[in-house]
Amino acid sequence: MDTDRCPSGSCPVPGGGVTRRQFLSRAWWVAGGLLVAEVAGGLVVSLWPKAKAGAFVTKISVMSLQEARAMPVGTVAYFTEQRLYISRVESGLLALYRKCPHLGCVVPWLPDDPTEDDLAQRGRFNCPCHSGIFDRYGLVHGGPPPRPMDVFPITIEGDEVVVDTGNPIQRSRFDESQVIEI
Ligand code: FES
């Protein structure tokens, strides 16, 4: 190539091929396109598994059937990570969401407080935010909560007590359909 007449390599190539400048320009476009595709693909991959994982972890085995049957009536067990209580009532087990139905505070179980039901001598839920009081069925006995504590669907699967923590159920009263017999 005559570099005096084509100093930047932009002269047409005999036979209809591309010049060096055209080649470099296209190479930059291709590299840029690949970079954008890689970034977009990475975003999709990083977001997709989280959405799927959330869908998979809602049903959780909290104890064996044997352990559940060993709970005396009136016992309340706290599952911190699952954010729920298992309350042993007369007819079976109730899974109570720890989130207060008033403004969402975490409701602690206080085993030494006076009882609000006839299942045991002592123990009740007492929300520290506005003194919402609940019994072992999650029913309101004082304070501003507008409804009982929410419950989770609970089932027996094989030898395991399984709670579906992805589906808290609001309710206006207690009925036996909320309990799983053991
Ligand atoms: S948030 Fe529990 S009583 Fe208000």
Side-chain angles (χ1 to χ4, degrees), residues 99-107 127-134 142-145:
K99 183 178 172 184
C100 184
H102 180 220
L103 295 179
C105 291
V106 173
V107 182
C127 182
C129 293
H130 313 98
S131 302
I133 305 288
F134 308 87

Side-chain angles (χ1 to χ4, degrees), residues 16-177:
V18 295
T19 64
R20 192 176 71 175
R21 177 180 287 179
Q22 287 169 326
F23 173 79
L24 288 174
S25 172
R26 288 176 193 178
W28 276 110
W29 278 106
V30 169
L34 286 174
L35 185 64
V36 168
E38 192 173 336
V39 169
L43 268 176
V44 168
V45 167
S46 66
L47 294 175
W48 179 252
K50 285 178 191 160
K52 297 281 279 184
F56 283 138
V57 296
T58 62
K59 288 185 85 175
I60 294 165
S61 169
V62 290
M63 64 177 76
S64 69
L65 192 52
Q66 195 178 9
E67 289 168 328
R69 287 177 175 153
M71 288 175 74
V73 170
T75 306
V76 172
Y78 185 31
F79 295 84
T80 315
E81 275 185 35
Q82 293 78 13
R83 298 177 289 175
L84 62 88
Y85 295 96
I86 296 294
S87 181
R88 173 70 164 100
V89 295
E90 265 177 331
S91 49
L93 301 178
L94 198 55
L96 298 168
Y97 191 13
R98 72 175 185 182
K99 183 178 172 184
C100 184
H102 180 220
L103 295 179
C105 291
V106 173
V107 182
W109 167 250
L110 301 181
D112 296 326
D113 264 20
T115 189
E116 302 290 346
D117 51 61
D118 57 2
L119 298 182
Q121 299 277 324
R122 308 197 71 78
R124 66 181 178 184
F125 297 96
N126 190 338
C127 182
C129 293
H130 313 98
S131 302
I133 305 288
F134 308 87
D135 65 17
R136 285 172 172 79
Y137 296 90
L139 301 179
V140 182
H141 286 265
R147 62 174 195 276
M149 294 166 74
D150 297 343
V151 292
F152 292 114
I154 184 168
T155 50
I156 305 296
E157 296 186 14
D159 187 36
E160 300 292 317
V161 177
V162 175
V163 178
D164 186 351
T165 58
N167 291 301
I169 299 167
Q170 294 185 8
R171 58 197 176 132
S172 57
R173 60 190 174 82
F174 169 75
D175 72 59
E176 292 294 341
S177 70

